[in-house]
Amino acid sequence: MEVEKSEVKNKTVGEYMKLGIICTMINGFGRRGYYNTQEIGLGRELERQGHEVTIYKCVKKTGGESIERVKLGNTLSILYIPVSSFGAHGCLDTAVLSTDLDAVLCFADNQIFLPHIYRFCARHEIRMVPYIGRTHSSSGGVHGFAMNTLFHLGTLRWFRRGPAISKIEEVRQELLQLGVKDVKVAPVGLDFSVMKSDFAAYDRAALRREFGLLPEDMVICTVGRMGPEKNPLDLVEIYQQVREQKPCKLLLVGEGTQSEDLKTKIAASKWKSDIVLIDRIPNDQIWKVYATADYFVNLCRTEIFGMAILEAMYYGVSVAALAAPGPSVTLRDMPGHKLCSSYEEIRDWLLAEHPAQEQLRESAARTVQLYNWKPCADTFLSMAVGGTNEHSGHHNILSSSRA
């Protein structure tokens, strides 16, 4: 039986709406308990603007887990939903979605199970807006080829039917070339409600001692998954080259598939006593890592945005990152930070004189100004109340045939 039609077409930006945020990815994106999860940051901004928001977050099913709802605000909640999956692609049962939502934003990328969510939204006259950070699989070989093929045969066809949001201009251009007619750019942001705004008031020497570091140490750090895409073993190698010429310590925070190899490499290092590896730190304590460090290094060549990079910039830590889609945007025109084309450039940045605090404060202020969730929320809301994309001549998902 056909459900009653939503009134979303008759609403205007600023008018109260019931909104959904969907994240089907189960590869660590938005992992529960982590510091700056994108779906929660966006949800908080949408709630701040007066809307009711439910976040539907898929987690990998391992047994008989049930759906758990956590209240994050007066009109903001998150559902952790155990799902079956294929690789990082979670299969969300649409029965858990509310049928009276006005609009949904989905952290989409190249997720292959999105078409059935699109069909659900079409049946219930819910505006569906994908938020896209990549258009192709990061895996190589047969697996990557299969994922890209499934994306082109399924999800991409739905992207072409309506408006979409990309995280960076590079992805927008890729989507336009793939036939997506209406794409706007809105960067990710920091959730400032979980940031330590008064971090500078704390005794830095005391914070360093908590990690077994000395007040006078120069500290290089990284925070994130210790997997091959992040190249943590290479970071230890770079550190050793720097350490041969300059006294410094290395602080590594995170765990992943290369954790054991990393521990082995550290144990064999000439400078093992100067390397601190911490598997995990409570969310409300992670700020201490940044407040302790002088440099933050990112060696991921496929970084879509890099939330840890934004966090480091916020806390005034000098970032050296390999060129990748995200850092190429976020580090642009940011004094005190360095976008590098090679490991040698990163090493040279770490060996050079540390940037002036005035430069780092300027970049921190610009990070707050540019990388908050309001632009993304505003873009989504403008699309949520739209009818036909008149400027493109292309009909949105509400105009598509019913599935």
Side-chain angles (χ1 to χ4, degrees):
M1 186 174 69
E2 189 67 37
V3 296
E4 185 176 345
K5 202 172 187 179
S6 168
E7 297 178 357
V8 63
K9 289 183 179 179
N10 299 321
K11 294 192 174 183
T12 59
V13 173
E15 190 174 353
Y16 166 84
M17 286 188 284
K18 291 187 69 173
L19 304 171
I21 297 174
I22 298 176
C23 180
T24 60
M25 291 172 260
I26 60 164
N27 59 348
F29 179 92
R31 193 169 166 187
R32 185 173 184 175
Y34 276 53
Y35 195 49
N36 241 294
T37 56
Q38 296 181 25
E39 64 274 16
I40 292 177
L42 175 59
R44 285 199 171 108
E45 175 60 27
L46 291 169
E47 182 193 37
R48 190 191 67 78
Q49 295 197 28
H51 304 287
E52 181 179 344
V53 185
T54 301
I55 302 169
Y56 300 90
K57 176 68 182 82
C58 292
V59 295
K60 188 175 181 62
K61 182 188 293 184
T62 57
E65 311 97 326
S66 58
I67 296 174
E68 180 185 359
R69 179 184 290 272
V70 178
K71 195 169 179 62
L72 301 174
N74 291 331
T75 60
L76 173 65
S77 60
I78 183 168
L79 271 65
Y80 292 101
I81 308 163
V83 300
S84 57
S85 60
F86 185 73
H89 303 253
C91 183
L92 177 68
D93 183 353
T94 56
V96 307
L97 301 176
S98 298
T99 59
D100 62 346
L101 294 169
D102 291 311
V104 162
L105 178 141
C106 188
F107 283 83
D109 288 8
N110 60 340
Q111 290 280 290
I112 61 174
F113 295 121
L114 289 185
H116 77 288
I117 299 176
Y118 267 103
R119 295 185 189 102
F120 171 89
C121 291
R123 284 196 302 272
H124 297 287
E125 296 291 350
I126 300 169
R127 171 60 69 87
M128 170 80 164
V129 179
Y131 190 32
I132 306 163
R134 71 164 72 240
T135 59
H136 55 277
S137 174
S138 59
S139 302
V142 175
H143 178 79
F145 176 79
M147 293 299 97
N148 290 332
T149 300
L150 290 170
F151 167 70
H152 280 264
L153 293 175
T155 303
L156 178 59
R157 295 170 63 187
W158 288 90
F159 284 178
R160 290 170 176 161
R161 299 191 187 192
I165 306 173
S166 66
K167 293 182 178 180
I168 57 177
E169 177 62 26
E170 179 180 320
V171 172
R172 176 179 176 270
Q173 292 301 324
E174 290 177 7
L175 289 167
L176 292 174
Q177 291 174 12
L178 290 170
V180 183
K181 305 293 189 204
D182 181 13
V183 190
K184 292 182 173 61
V185 177
V188 304
L190 291 173
D191 179 0
F192 294 109
S193 69
V194 299
M195 305 297 279
K196 189 74 171 174
S197 59
D198 62 344
F199 70 95
Y202 284 74
D203 184 342
R204 195 176 191 221
L207 293 176
R208 287 187 161 195
R209 291 190 185 98
E210 290 186 28
F211 296 107
L213 302 168
L214 298 176
E216 65 271 17
D217 286 336
M218 186 192 89
V219 179
I220 302 165
C221 84
T222 195
V223 177
R225 291 190 304 277
M226 297 301 165
E229 75 283 0
K230 300 291 187 179
N231 297 305
L233 304 178
D234 292 345
L235 177 54
V236 173
E237 193 62 41
I238 292 172
Y239 165 74
Q240 291 180 138
Q241 294 174 18
V242 174
R243 183 65 182 84
E244 291 285 351
Q245 301 182 54
K246 186 176 185 179
C248 57
K249 301 286 179 70
L250 178 62
L251 176 58
L252 304 161
V253 179
E255 56 188 343
T257 58
Q258 289 193 323
S259 289
E260 293 307 313
D261 291 340
L262 184 58
K263 291 174 183 177
T264 299
K265 189 173 183 68
I266 292 171
S269 173
K270 174 183 176 181
W271 309 106
K272 62 183 177 182
S273 61
D274 290 338
I275 302 174
V276 179
L277 173 61
I278 303 173
D279 290 339
R280 59 181 67 181
I281 291 177
N283 259 1
D284 60 356
Q285 301 295 304
I286 194 71
W287 67 272
K288 294 180 178 180
V289 176
Y290 298 107
T292 291
D294 298 292
Y295 293 95
F296 180 96
V297 177
N298 187 295
L299 300 183
C300 181
R301 297 181 183 275
T302 59
E303 194 72 73
I304 296 175
F305 221 88
M307 299 303 288
I309 290 176
L310 293 183
E311 292 169 4
M313 292 165 68
Y314 173 89
Y315 287 114
V317 184
S318 177
V319 174
L322 287 180
S328 296
V329 173
T330 56
L331 295 184
R332 184 186 305 146
D333 300 324
M334 289 289 192
H337 306 285
K338 180 69 172 178
L339 185 67
C340 304
S341 61
S342 66
Y343 286 172
E344 289 74 20
E345 273 195 76
I346 287 179
R347 181 197 61 204
D348 292 345
W349 181 257
L350 299 174
L351 285 170
E353 184 178 352
H354 190 265
Q357 288 301 312
E358 183 179 349
Q359 290 183 314
L360 296 172
R361 282 193 292 267
E362 178 185 341
S363 290
R366 294 193 64 210
T367 299
V368 173
Q369 179 186 17
L370 295 174
Y371 299 110
N372 57 76
W373 280 109
K374 189 174 186 305
C376 184
D378 290 346
T379 302
F380 169 49
L381 292 172
S382 70
M383 292 179 173
V385 300
T388 300
N389 300 324
E390 296 176 353
H391 64 277
S392 67
H394 201 76
H395 290 282
N396 63 45
I397 188 66
L398 298 184
S399 305
S400 67
S401 58
R402 299 299 179 88

